[in-house]
């Protein structure tokens, strides 16, 4: 940019570019969650047990988590548009592979492709927000991006289940790939990195500079606070939506497939409604964000305790309460990105955001694998589907992760506050005397 004030970005143009980029994230969430509501059918198609089924989601999420920091570096180099196009193409390829897969290796490879493409999408949209909108609007639009993206989970619930049961596996996932391809074409046509003529790409980073930026971001207490916030708030709702919620409702609670998919849809709608409220509270009370994190975590743990301790199958109102509380987990995890924005300069946002985004997905991977293992251990051989007792033992593993996350949030919140207080106490620099 040349010297002088930056030109005003037309609101309609900004809204159009953000809306199309957001549709790419909606498609990514759709692809990401498509396995969750088809888990029972996937187990039958590939003839696998619970632990083996978990490897599908673990492969997808592990790649997503591992790619966050590299994607941040690539994003600074190539810009959002190229990353969104590459990510969309990878997810379409993954869904096409999943549509024709009949063996476990190809199915896992398909989920890896989905995870790679998914990893490139969310932070690319956040970078578009930073370029196209004024800074004061960034927190709300970041929350809206994360929240509205969950519309993809609605497409991945009732419609996909209905199509799967009506037309079969291959047709359902081929249609899913076609949806992704359509969105990809719109992104190619409408998304630009910036509203200005100059490029949003940067020079090729050196390994030394990448290490230096990552090290500084990692040693910033606010970044660690963001990571553990993302860790403790996200995993329960994410695992429920991505894989184990649908089997728990159908096999454990005895709901019909349509009723279970409907509850997952209610969960998504509640996420859409709660996101703006969480954003408003964070903007209104920035020094009380950790209180909100602890409240969300405690409420989730308490409702799960009621569900797991209920004698027999839980009543409908309790399952509804569970999905409503889980719906707040996603918006709650976005508070972690707000911490990254608060405690890091713009030049480190890519690195800090990538680090934060690892937290919740690492916790989700651990829980997905743990639930699968416990279900296999507690389901007698030859019985087939796990029963309610097996699911109770499996979901009890969550309390270990909640305890770890809560302790770390408290630890790094205090460290961030001490760092902030020390910086505020530093005296103003004394001007040097004029040279005689």
């Amino acid at each position: 940019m040349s010297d002088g004030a930056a030109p005003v970005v037309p609101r309609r143009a900004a809204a159009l570019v953000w809306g199309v980029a957001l549709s790419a994230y909606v498609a990514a969430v759709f692809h990401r969650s498509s396995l969750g509501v088809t888990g029972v059918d996937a187990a039958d198609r590939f003839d696998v047990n619970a632990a083996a089924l978990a490897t599908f989601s673990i492969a997808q999420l592990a790649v997503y988590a591992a790619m966050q920091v590299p994607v941040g570096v690539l994003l600074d180099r190539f810009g959002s548009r190229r990353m969104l196009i590459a990510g969309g193409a990878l997810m379409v390829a993954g869904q096409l592979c999943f549509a024709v897969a009949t063996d476990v290796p190809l199915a896992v490879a398909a989920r890896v492709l989905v995870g790679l493409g998914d990893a490139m999408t969310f932070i690319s949209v956040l970078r578009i927000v930073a370029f196209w909108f004024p800074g004061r609007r960034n927190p709300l639009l970041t929350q809206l991006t994360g929240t509205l993206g969950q519309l993809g989970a609605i497409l991945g619930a009732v419609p996909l289940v209905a199509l799967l049961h009506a037309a079969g596996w291959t047709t359902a996932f081929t249609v899913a790939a076609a949806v992704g391809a359509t969105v990809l074409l719109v992104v190619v046509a409408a998304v630009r990195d910036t509203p200005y003529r100059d490029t949003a790409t940067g020079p090729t980073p050196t390994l030394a500079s990448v290490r230096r930026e990552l090290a500084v971001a990692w040693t910033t207490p606010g970044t660690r606070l963001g990571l553990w916030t993302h860790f403790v708030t996200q995993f329960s709702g994410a695992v429920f939506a991505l894989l184990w919620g649908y089997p728990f409702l159908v096999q454990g609670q005895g709901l019909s497939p349509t009723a279970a998919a409907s509850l997952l849809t209610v969960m998504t709608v509640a996420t859409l409604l709660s996101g703006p409220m969480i954003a408003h509270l964070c903007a209104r009370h920035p020094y009380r964000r950790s209180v909100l994190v602890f409240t969300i975590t405690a409420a989730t743990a308490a409702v799960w305790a009621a569900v797991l301790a209920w004698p027999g199958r839980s009543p409908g109102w309790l399952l509804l309460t569970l999905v409503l509380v889980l719906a707040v987990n996603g918006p709650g995890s976005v508070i972690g990105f707000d911490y990254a924005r608060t405690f890091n300069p713009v030049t480190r946002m890519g690195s800090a955001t990538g680090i934060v985004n690892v937290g919740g997905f690492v916790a989700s991977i651990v829980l997905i694998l743990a639930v699968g293992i416990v279900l296999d251990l507690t389901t007698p051989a030859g019985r087939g589907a796990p029963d309610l007792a097996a699911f109770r033992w499996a979901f009890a593993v969550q309390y270990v992760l909640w305890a770890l996350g809560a302790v770390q949030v408290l630890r790094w919140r205090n460290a961030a506050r001490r760092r902030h207080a020390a910086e505020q106490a530093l005296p103003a620099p004394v001007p040097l005397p004029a040279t005689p």
Side-chain angles (χ1 to χ4, degrees):
M1 288 297 295
S2 59
D3 293 336
V8 177
V9 180
R11 290 187 177 183
R12 288 186 179 180
L16 174 63
V17 172
W18 175 67
V20 174
L22 175 62
S23 72
Y25 181 53
V26 171
V29 173
F30 166 63
H31 295 312
R32 179 197 305 171
S33 60
S34 59
L35 178 61
V37 294
T38 59
V40 175
D41 297 270
D44 292 336
R45 178 178 177 85
F46 301 107
D47 191 23
V48 294
N49 59 18
L53 179 62
T55 61
F56 293 1
S57 286
I58 289 172
Q60 177 180 322
L61 293 180
V63 169
Y64 183 101
M67 286 299 296
Q68 284 308 298
V69 174
V71 163
V73 175
L74 293 172
L75 181 60
D76 289 335
R77 172 65 182 89
F78 295 107
S80 295
R81 184 175 185 272
R82 292 180 182 179
M83 296 300 287
L84 287 174
I85 292 171
L90 286 169
M91 287 185 284
V92 169
Q95 292 291 55
L96 286 175
C97 287
F98 207 52
V100 300
T102 56
D103 56 80
V104 172
L106 182 57
V108 172
R111 302 321 294 180
V112 167
L113 289 175
V114 171
L116 279 172
D118 190 10
M120 298 178 181
T121 306
F122 180 64
I123 63 175
S124 296
V125 182
L126 293 189
R127 193 171 187 264
I128 283 177
V129 169
F131 273 102
W132 282 84
F133 295 91
R136 66 181 183 277
R137 299 183 65 186
N138 278 202
L140 177 59
L141 286 167
T142 296
Q143 184 64 252
L144 286 176
T145 299
T147 300
L148 293 176
Q150 303 313 306
L151 285 169
I154 295 179
L155 297 175
V158 176
L160 185 60
V161 170
L163 182 60
L164 176 65
H165 292 162
W169 180 277
T170 300
T171 299
F173 280 95
T174 301
V175 170
V179 171
T182 302
V183 173
L184 178 58
L185 291 175
V186 178
V187 169
V188 171
V191 169
R192 288 184 292 155
D193 287 323
T194 78
Y196 315 118
R197 291 183 179 272
D198 57 335
T199 179
T201 60
T204 302
T206 64
L207 183 58
S209 65
V210 170
R211 287 178 176 175
R212 183 167 56 252
E213 287 299 309
L214 288 176
V216 175
W218 175 251
T219 55
T220 301
T223 304
R224 305 272 194 105
L225 175 59
L227 181 146
W228 286 106
T229 293
H230 200 258
F231 178 103
V232 78
T233 52
Q234 191 204 44
F235 68 82
S236 187
V239 169
F240 195 88
L242 286 174
L243 184 62
W244 291 123
Y246 185 82
F248 168 72
L249 294 173
V250 174
Q251 297 173 337
Q253 295 292 341
L255 299 184
S256 68
T258 301
S262 298
L263 273 179
L264 291 175
T265 301
V266 169
M267 178 178 166
T268 303
V269 173
T271 297
L272 297 175
L273 297 176
S274 62
M277 291 188 292
I278 297 295
H280 174 73
L281 290 173
C282 288
R284 187 79 178 271
H285 307 285
Y287 292 101
R288 296 292 179 266
R289 288 174 292 186
S290 61
V291 175
L292 191 56
V293 171
F294 287 125
T295 300
I296 292 171
T297 303
T300 306
V303 175
W304 262 117
V307 170
L308 299 180
W310 195 273
R313 291 172 173 171
S314 301
W317 64 265
L318 184 55
L319 294 177
L320 177 61
T321 303
L322 175 65
V323 299
L324 291 177
V325 171
L326 291 176
V328 188
N329 285 194
S333 69
V334 178
I335 298 174
F337 299 113
D338 203 36
Y339 282 129
R341 179 188 61 82
T342 301
F343 292 98
N344 288 276
V346 175
T347 54
R348 284 207 307 267
M349 279 302 298
S351 300
T353 301
I355 291 171
V356 169
N357 210 19
V358 169
F361 288 96
V362 168
S364 298
I365 291 169
V366 172
L367 183 59
I368 285 174
L369 181 59
V371 169
I373 292 173
V374 174
L375 286 177
D376 284 342
L377 292 175
T378 54
T379 301
R383 177 174 291 183
D387 59 13
L388 181 56
F391 277 107
R392 282 173 172 161
W393 283 109
F395 278 109
V397 176
Q398 296 178 105
Y399 289 89
V400 177
L401 297 176
W402 278 319
L404 172 63
V407 169
Q408 293 295 333
V409 168
L410 183 62
R411 172 190 176 189
W412 290 106
R413 182 196 69 175
N414 294 339
R417 287 180 175 179
R418 288 195 298 269
R419 169 74 69 87
H420 179 69
E423 291 174 349
Q424 294 296 105
L426 290 176
V430 179
L432 295 174
T435 303

